[in-house]
Amino acid sequence: MPPAALSLLAFLARLLGPWVRSVNATTLRADVQAGLLGALLVLPQGIAFASLAGLPPQYGLYSALVPTVIAALAGSSWHVVSGPTNANSLALAAMLTPLVAAGTPGYIELALMVTVMVGVIQTAVGALRLGLLANFISPAALLGFTSGAACLIAIHAVRGLRDTGAVLVGLTALGVAAAVRWKAAHWPFMLIGLVSAGVLAVLLPERWAVHTIGVLPSPWPSFHVPDVDWARVPDLIDKALALSIIALGQSVSIAKAMAARSGQRIDTNREFLGQGLSNVVGGFFSCYLSCGSLNRSLPNLEAGARTPLAGVASAGWLLVLVAVSSPLLARIPQAAIAGMLILVAWTLLDLPRWRRLARLDRTDLAIAGATLAATLLLRLEMAILIGTGLSLVAYLYQTSRPAMRTMGFDRTSPDRRFVVRGDTPGALPECPQLKLLRMEGEVYFGAATHVAEHLHALREYDPGQPASQKHLLVMTKSMNFLDLAGVEVWDNELRERRAAGGDLYFHRPRPQVIQIWTRTGFLDRLGRDHVFPDKQQAIAAIYPRLDREVCARCSVRVFRECQADDPGVVI
């Protein structure tokens, strides 16, 4: 390859990603074939989702062109295909219809303006490398939101079936598409359902005539700056923020799902940047809010797509299909689209996942249920924020109560294995002078009170011990982090233990914990000889510091050192 070509290839690889180097005739053929399936899938979906968003049908097709290409080339995933989605469409309509009537010119301009604002927020998140924010959108909150959205989609669709003809056409579209999806999911079942419903609509008696979507304008979107009164922009900020969370949550979840199947590593920040640019540019080309689409991404991967060029090919094929079949598309019944939306709603509901959640995690089940209720009863931007907030509260509550387990020895183990006493009925009794405690979790400001109260309770009274356990050995290899509040907890424990005539010791604290203790001076106050790499070494070093008078009266003799002092005792 000539040096100039190599330089261009290197530049494109830095700009678009390493997949550029793998493009060849084989991958191009696979991507073009996968792109055709993607175009066939999005053709009916784009029309249906635009209707759900309160927009004319052509806006759904526009949104499957420009954003798809930009997100494919600027994003991180090789298989995620972006475009209009059911959740985004429903959320957009729910947020904008209280401001202006759906489908009106003013509504369209607001939808395009919100799309640009969402794109700016997403681009900023990616550019500032804040992709870790996606980790705070819990799967439970997204499940509740999408299930609530499914219910609203179904309600919206059923309202479109107002007469006998519409009911027959809608049920035909639903039944045929569902049957094809069940028997041959890789077929374009939505397209087949729409064609079947269209044929029935033509054969129906005139008195049962149904409305069609009508003639579509040019499939190629033109450049257009959203015409919105700037005084209304502040009213759109909270809506744009909520829509950004919804769209990014969907995109990242889908990208991770695709990566798990393909083995590709996802750069979350680049994915955010690609999604943001697709919405910024798309908003100026008559495209409404887009993000990664599971309905297109999974078939794209299964169809053999090798690179993001499959998304580009999908957009190209869509232009060809619309240009060739525009007269036929104009005859698609509105009721058939309603039938497709009911099928989409049923798919979104995901009942098996709800059943798994009910069996495995009641906290996440409650979060998902609350988010679902908020989606149905409140504004959608509030629902996703409530779900995310509840997830964070649940996480903080769980981490604020780290486990602190009393350790002992297994009576039946010849090598005197350490065990959790509460989980081992056959454990040996505790030493009346030395408490063995395993710390599990982080000691930060949210957990400091819980840890301090537990330590205080150990000092004050333990009904299972004949004497006060003035010495405490804390096993801290599972304590991954502590902040200043956590340091103060251990500082106070050290003072209290020594004031009572005992002491505090640690086993295997992590390097990052040692660093914090060193910077705050706690390690000097504790003494480096109070930190041990091994439990047996720790006990051997602590044992001589125990009260000999208590040892003389003790009948427990749990340590091997006890037997060494009194050879007549068999432990």
Side-chain angles (χ1 to χ4, degrees), residues 127-373:
L128 296 174
R129 306 193 66 77
L130 299 177
L132 59 87
L133 294 175
N135 297 332
F136 294 101
I137 306 172
S138 73
L142 282 177
L143 175 63
F145 174 79
T146 53
S147 298
C151 296
L152 294 177
I153 288 172
I155 293 170
H156 171 85
V158 170
R159 288 175 179 170
L161 306 178
R162 299 178 180 275
D163 53 55
T164 303
V167 170
L168 290 174
V169 170
L171 290 179
T172 298
L174 171 62
V176 171
V180 175
R181 181 174 180 269
W182 181 48
K183 289 293 186 180
H186 60 284
W187 287 15
F189 56 88
M190 293 187 74
L191 189 62
I192 295 173
L194 287 179
V195 170
S196 302
V199 171
L200 175 63
V202 172
L203 300 176
L204 286 176
E206 186 175 347
R207 67 178 185 278
W208 288 353
V210 294
H211 296 287
T212 62
I213 65 172
V215 178
L216 297 176
S218 169
W220 182 251
S222 58
F223 181 80
H224 171 73
V225 178
D227 184 13
V228 176
D229 183 359
W230 285 99
R232 306 197 69 168
V233 171
D235 297 333
L236 302 177
I237 293 177
D238 62 330
K239 296 171 175 50
L241 179 61
L243 288 169
S244 299
I245 294 174
I246 295 169
L248 288 179
Q250 291 181 81
S251 295
V252 171
S253 299
I254 293 168
K256 289 181 177 180
M258 296 300 100
R261 288 173 173 263
S262 65
Q264 184 204 346
R265 180 179 175 274
I266 296 296
D267 181 344
T268 305
N269 292 305
R270 185 183 177 99
E271 192 65 26
F272 282 7
L273 190 62
Q275 294 295 328
L277 291 175
S278 71
N279 280 312
V280 170
V281 177
F284 290 107
F285 281 90
S286 301
C287 305
Y288 77 94
L289 183 62
S290 70
C291 73
S293 169
L294 185 62
N295 291 337
R296 297 176 66 195
S297 300
L298 186 57
N300 181 56
L301 175 63
E302 293 178 345
R306 304 283 292 276
T307 75
L309 292 179
V312 179
S314 173
W317 278 115
L318 181 61
L319 280 173
V320 173
L321 290 174
V322 174
V324 171
S325 59
S326 183
L328 294 176
L329 295 177
R331 301 181 65 86
I332 294 177
Q334 294 280 8
I337 296 176
M340 292 298 97
L341 291 177
I342 294 174
L343 179 60
V344 167
W346 176 255
T347 304
L348 273 178
L349 198 55
D350 201 354
L351 293 178
R353 192 173 174 192
W354 279 98
R355 287 193 290 268
R356 288 196 302 272
L357 205 59
R359 291 196 306 268
L360 299 176
D361 194 326
R362 294 298 177 89
T363 300
D364 277 354
L365 178 65
I367 292 171
T371 308
L372 187 152

Side-chain angles (χ1 to χ4, degrees), residues 91-130:
L92 185 68
M95 294 180 194
L96 296 186
T97 47
L99 303 179
V100 64
T104 62
Y107 180 91
I108 294 172
E109 298 298 332
L110 280 183
L112 299 181
M113 186 64 187
V114 168
T115 298
V116 174
M117 294 172 67
V118 168
V120 170
I121 293 173
Q122 294 174 327
T123 302
V125 169
L128 296 174
R129 306 193 66 77
L130 299 177

Side-chain angles (χ1 to χ4, degrees), residues 454-476:
H454 189 89
L455 294 174
H456 176 76
L458 293 180
R459 291 195 308 271
E460 288 297 307
Y461 175 70
D462 188 342
Q465 297 303 323
S468 174
Q469 293 174 300
K470 297 180 180 180
H471 296 266
L472 175 64
L473 172 61
V474 187
M475 303 170 189
T476 55

